Amino acid sequence: MPNWLLPEHIADVLPSEARKIEELRRLMLDNFRLYGYELVMPPLLEYVESLMTGAGQDTELRTFKLVDQISGRMLGLRADMTTQVARIDAHLLNRASVTRLCYAGSVLHTRPSGLHTTREPLQIGAEIYGHAGLEADAEIQELALASLALAGFTDVRLDLSHVGVLRAILAEDANAAKDEAALYLLLRAKDVPGLELQTAGYAPAARAALLALPNLYGDVDVLKRAREVLPELPGISKALAELAALAATADNPATGREVAIDLADLRGYQYESGAMFAVYVPGLPNAVLRGGRYDHVGEAFGRARPATGFSMDLRELARLLPTAERKHSIRAPWGNAPELKDKIAELRKAGEVVIQSLPGHSNEQDEFECDRALVLDDSGSNWILKNLG
């Protein structure tokens, strides 16, 4: 086997694709700042105990582990930056007021999340800490949709769900509560036959509610159906009211945005604590962005804080965008003449790409198209731009 081959689902990013990803990263981080979000940069690896604090079983399975040769303790390469940012808020910043943080960086997964996905996503996201009201959820939802719109994705579908519905049902039946992990997997897969077998010994009301959840998906009218078929429990009523409010906030016919409800979409259930959302775009079967409320994660770091946020993979998003047009640039000769150097510096300061041709070589770039050349005029004393045919 050639020693230059990379592991499966790990790939180099070549110039034109790298430029798309970097431009998206800059665009979104700059937009986050306009909303008042401060950038943080958590480390790529931490002690496993810290990385796993407040995270679900999925995160532990996705985390690469290695032994620290200094301390002898087990280290983990981050699979998700959300809990790292929660640790920064809880321990390092330690603010009493609302804190808005954003981040961007590579994460590593032991296994790919899909057939054609990378094991090294470039995760970007934003989080709000310190406000338990729906206003924070609405802001995060708005920022997520605005971020995708900046990338050119306006024809999107927003799916809303809420962990409070399932937890309220489980609280009414001890047998169901003991099977929480199994029920989570069955509901996530919308496996109705499996649910029928699993719930056979449950209380009738809990069983009927659990069997109803896989079919409670569609437009916002699903909330009306949910109120009719689900038991009248305070936790369910609160969850459905919150979903109705968030759906109303996002519903804007002018954008062409579709808002949907899916009460069985429980991805992230293990550490989420309230409303959750996923955004789908044309050309990708899975969600391009996920977010939600996770109030209890900070408590695992010794300081309970209301929290909500979202994240997405920039590499996956960039794959959906068309290949960027080659940037017009200027070809210049190599030389040390002060007049030539001054002219090149002047052009670059004005935002022009100037590529100097090294002696004996032609220019080959994926990103740039030299449509002009820097040449001496007829007098041989002034450097001018000449259009190339």
Side-chain angles (χ1 to χ4, degrees):
M1 178 185 293
N3 58 11
W4 47 264
L5 287 180
L6 294 174
E8 291 183 60
H9 295 276
I10 298 289
D12 295 305
V13 182
L14 300 182
S16 58
E17 190 72 7
R19 173 52 52 187
K20 280 199 297 182
I21 293 170
E22 176 60 13
E23 288 180 350
L24 278 175
R25 188 190 69 85
R26 293 181 188 181
L27 188 68
M28 290 189 182
L29 287 179
D30 287 346
N31 190 53
F32 292 167
R33 186 169 179 82
L34 296 178
Y35 281 72
Y37 288 75
E38 300 171 278
L39 181 65
V40 293
M41 296 181 179
L44 182 61
L45 77 169
E46 292 190 33
Y47 292 122
V48 167
E49 299 89 343
S50 176
L51 277 179
M52 296 301 107
T53 299
Q57 181 70 17
D58 286 352
T59 302
E60 184 170 359
L61 293 174
R62 288 186 300 164
T63 301
F64 279 101
K65 301 177 181 70
L66 64 155
V67 176
D68 184 5
Q69 295 190 21
I70 295 178
S71 68
R73 294 175 61 184
M74 189 68 73
L75 297 174
L77 293 169
R78 67 187 182 203
D80 179 28
M81 295 174 73
T82 308
T83 55
Q84 290 186 298
V85 179
R87 173 182 55 77
I88 289 173
D89 171 69
H91 272 302
L92 299 181
L93 297 178
N94 201 28
R95 297 171 181 169
S97 61
V98 170
T99 300
R100 293 174 170 88
L101 300 177
C102 62
Y103 52 90
S106 291
V107 296
L108 289 169
H109 295 166
T110 53
R111 292 180 177 274
S113 59
L115 187 62
H116 301 293
T117 56
T118 177
R119 289 195 288 165
E120 189 190 2
L122 180 56
Q123 186 180 13
I124 188 169
E127 319 289 331
I128 297 181
Y129 302 96
H131 185 71
L134 271 185
E135 296 85 358
D137 300 82
E139 180 178 311
I140 279 292
Q141 187 176 281
E142 176 191 335
L143 181 58
L145 294 169
S147 300
L148 289 175
L150 278 176
F153 295 98
T154 54
D155 183 17
V156 302
R157 191 184 84 223
L158 174 70
D159 278 15
L160 296 170
S161 188
H162 203 296
V163 301
V165 175
L166 178 57
R167 288 182 181 159
I169 295 169
L170 298 183
E172 295 298 305
D173 189 319
N175 289 329
K178 287 189 295 185
D179 296 335
E180 182 178 28
L183 290 169
Y184 157 72
L185 293 174
L186 291 168
L187 287 167
R188 179 172 166 175
K190 289 184 169 59
D191 184 354
V192 176
L195 275 173
E196 289 175 345
L197 289 173
Q198 184 71 43
T199 60
Y202 294 178
R207 184 170 194 258
L210 289 168
L211 292 175
L213 289 181
N215 295 312
L216 289 174
Y217 67 91
D219 60 24
V220 291
D221 290 339
V222 164
L223 295 174
K224 181 180 178 182
R225 276 201 291 132
R227 293 187 182 96
E228 294 171 352
V229 301
L230 295 179
E232 293 184 14
L233 299 173
I236 290 178
S237 298
K238 180 176 182 291
L240 297 180
E242 290 182 356
L243 290 176
L246 292 172
T249 300
D251 189 17
N252 184 353
T255 63
R257 183 189 305 147
E258 181 185 352
V259 180
I261 307 294
D262 187 348
L263 296 185
D265 184 359
L266 298 171
R267 291 172 180 84
Y269 173 84
Q270 293 169 317
Y271 71 86
E272 302 282 4
S273 62
M276 303 182 295
F277 64 92
V279 183
Y280 295 82
V281 300
L284 195 67
N286 53 289
V288 73
L289 177 154
R290 287 190 176 274
R293 181 165 284 279
Y294 55 99
D295 291 345
H296 66 278
V297 172
E299 185 177 359
F301 292 106
R303 183 166 179 252
R305 289 264 279 174
T308 183
F310 73 89
S311 68
M312 65 182 123
D313 176 13
L314 284 182
R315 292 178 69 167
E316 186 173 55
L317 191 65
R319 281 196 302 111
L320 301 174
L321 297 175
T323 303
E325 292 185 4
R326 297 173 71 189
K327 184 173 178 62
H328 295 301
S329 57
I330 298 167
R331 186 175 68 211
W334 179 259
N336 290 315
E339 297 83 1
L340 173 61
K341 288 188 170 183
D342 289 346
K343 185 64 177 178
I344 290 173
E346 176 189 327
L347 289 167
R348 286 173 176 162
K349 188 175 181 180
E352 295 281 5
V353 175
V354 182
I355 303 171
Q356 289 187 272
S357 299
L358 298 177
H361 296 276
S362 60
N363 291 321
E364 290 186 33
Q365 289 93 15
D366 291 338
E367 289 190 63
F368 307 112
E369 180 182 357
C370 293
D371 61 341
R372 290 157 294 165
L374 192 59
V375 299
L376 284 169
D377 64 8
D378 293 338
S379 68
S381 57
N382 296 313
W383 290 97
I384 60 172
L385 290 178
K386 176 183 177 183
N387 290 325
L388 299 176

